[in-house]
Each structure stands twice: as structure tokens, then as C-alpha cells.
Amino acid sequence: MKPMPEDWDRAVAVVAHPDDLEYGVASVVARWTRQGKQVSYLLVTKGEAGIAGMDPGQVAPLRMEEERRSAAVVGVTDVEFLDYQDGLVEYGLALRRDLAAALRRLQPQVVIGQSFDLTWGEEGPVNHADHRAVGLATLDACRDAANEWVFPDAGPRAPDIRDAYVAGTGAPTHFVDVTDTIEAGVASLREHQAYIEGLGREFDPDEFLKNMAGYVGLGAGCEYAVAFHRYPMG
Ligand SMILES: [Zn+2]
């Protein structure tokens, strides 16, 4: 793993659900916003199917609010939600078009995406279908956004996207040292209070994130780190 280059100013992070970014990436975002970078969040769903025993109509506004608070903790004020149904997101042209339109509006240089691996690790549980759809569509939307002849009615092209970095994959190529910002990352995850309570089991954000980042840090040569796989777009 190499350190991720930080010679850019604008990033967009794209995920399926409120809380997906808070399981690791938020610590990185805190570092970048402290450097003065502009980071926007783009969520494909409102996470309304994420709390057992609680009606989706009630859950959606609650989780949107939790996500906005999580984002604010790490210096992000631009949080957008697309209107896809939680649990039923499909990979396809509609999703690629909506993501490309958002990327054209936001004009990032770096795009952060989520893992579209079938499983978490070799023997881990199956990765959520929404994550797989959104993760893959995000990579394709980076290329779509740069091509004026693809989705020509979705805004002026986004020519500056250099790289997409996918978090949570089994084959990382790059890391970011988050030793100085892991506490902000933990605070960001703690904002998902209703979600965490809805898990119905003991869950400690501090222990969870530090275990994960500590493990990546061992390979990166720092105390805490977050890993990504780079997909060059140039
Ligand atoms: Zn998710």
C-alpha cells in the first residue's frame, strides 16, 4: 500500500446508505476537511429499511438527520440524497445517469466509492446488494460523467475526475493515515444513534473503528489508517 496522494481540492463520496461512510471513511474525511479540501456526500437512499421494528416512513427523516449530523462532525455540509428505495437499488442506466448528473454538478477531482465485492473478506458475509449496485455504478458514472455524449442532458461534463478510490475492499492499493482524526471518525459514527440502538446488541463505535484502523495501520506503518483500492480514471 502507498499513501494516497492529497494534491487535489474537491472530492465526492458516494454510498448507498446513511452510516456507510461512517464505518471508516469519515476519519479520512475529517483529515481532508482540516486540510481545507471540499468534500461532498452523495447518498443513494435514505436508509429507511435499516431499523428493525420501525416504520420506514419514520426512519427516513431520522436517518437523514443523523447523516447530516455525522457529516457536520467531520466538516461536511454538502449532503445530498437521491430517492432510491432502500434495499431495492439496482445497478443500471438509471442509477448511472443519476450519479453522473450529480458528479457533473459537483465537479470533483477524486471520487470515493464503496466496495462492490460479493463478500466482506474471503469468508465473510455477503455484501449488501445496494452496496454492490452503488459501488459498481459509481465507478461507471465517473467515466459517464466525463463523456459529453453519454447522458448529454445531465449537465456539462465533469472532466477533472482523476481517480476513484473504493473503501472496504479486500485488495487495497493505498492508505490514508488517520491517527490524528480517528476520534472525529468515532464521533461521526456515534451520531447514528437511532441506527446503533436499533441493532439490538452491544456495539462500541470507538472499539470497532480503532480495531479496524489499527489493523490497517499495521500494514501502513502508522497507528491508525484507512485503506482504499485506486481505480485511475485518466
Ligand atoms: Zn449500507
Side-chain angles (χ1 to χ4, degrees):
M1 284 194 296
K2 292 184 285 193
M4 186 194 293
E6 293 179 321
D7 57 339
W8 48 269
D9 305 309
R10 296 182 310 281
V12 177
V14 185
V15 290
H17 311 119
D19 83 23
D20 290 347
L21 286 168
E22 285 69 45
Y23 281 96
V25 172
S27 301
V28 180
V29 171
R31 172 184 166 109
W32 289 338
T33 57
R34 284 182 195 180
Q35 291 171 349
K37 299 185 194 311
Q38 165 82 35
V39 181
S40 303
Y41 283 4
L42 179 62
L43 290 100
V44 171
T45 80
K46 302 177 174 107
E48 69 273 13
I51 303 182
M54 203 168 162
D55 185 76
Q58 264 180 290
V59 171
L62 190 63
R63 297 204 73 198
M64 289 168 78
E65 184 50 34
E66 288 188 341
E67 183 59 31
R68 290 198 180 95
R69 283 204 300 268
S70 289
V73 166
V74 293
V76 173
T77 52
D78 184 21
V79 182
E80 295 183 27
F81 294 86
L82 300 178
D83 208 15
Y84 283 76
Q85 202 176 335
D86 184 9
L88 302 178
V89 180
E90 287 182 297
Y91 176 91
L93 293 179
L95 181 57
R96 275 171 54 186
R97 186 194 178 284
D98 286 345
L99 295 178
L103 294 175
R104 286 176 180 176
R105 205 166 56 245
L106 296 163
Q107 294 286 329
Q109 297 148 309
V110 163
V111 173
I112 305 299
Q114 69 186 143
S115 173
F116 46 90
D117 294 348
L118 180 58
T119 57
W120 292 109
E122 266 178 40
E123 295 178 15
V126 173
N127 189 11
H128 196 297
D130 289 356
H131 299 169
R132 281 149 44 209
V134 171
L136 191 56
T138 300
L139 286 190
D140 292 331
C142 290
R143 177 168 289 157
D144 298 337
N147 186 333
E148 67 199 283
W149 307 115
V150 175
F151 308 130
D153 56 343
R157 60 189 284 268
D160 298 336
I161 302 172
R162 297 195 317 218
D163 297 299
Y165 289 91
V166 173
T169 74
T173 60
H174 289 72
F175 71 90
V176 178
D177 182 342
V178 296
T179 306
D180 293 339
T181 52
I182 187 102
E183 296 299 343
V186 171
S188 184
L189 179 53
R190 282 195 199 286
E191 291 295 340
H192 290 281
Q193 205 182 339
Y195 172 76
I196 290 170
E197 282 169 10
L199 291 175
R201 58 181 158 83
E202 208 50 44
F203 174 74
D204 180 357
D206 187 86
E207 188 188 345
F208 179 88
L209 289 178
K210 285 179 179 168
N211 275 345
M212 199 163 59
Y215 179 75
V216 178
L218 287 176
C222 52
E223 190 176 0
Y224 296 119
V226 174
F228 296 88
H229 184 103
R230 174 162 77 177
Y231 292 88
M233 290 293 156

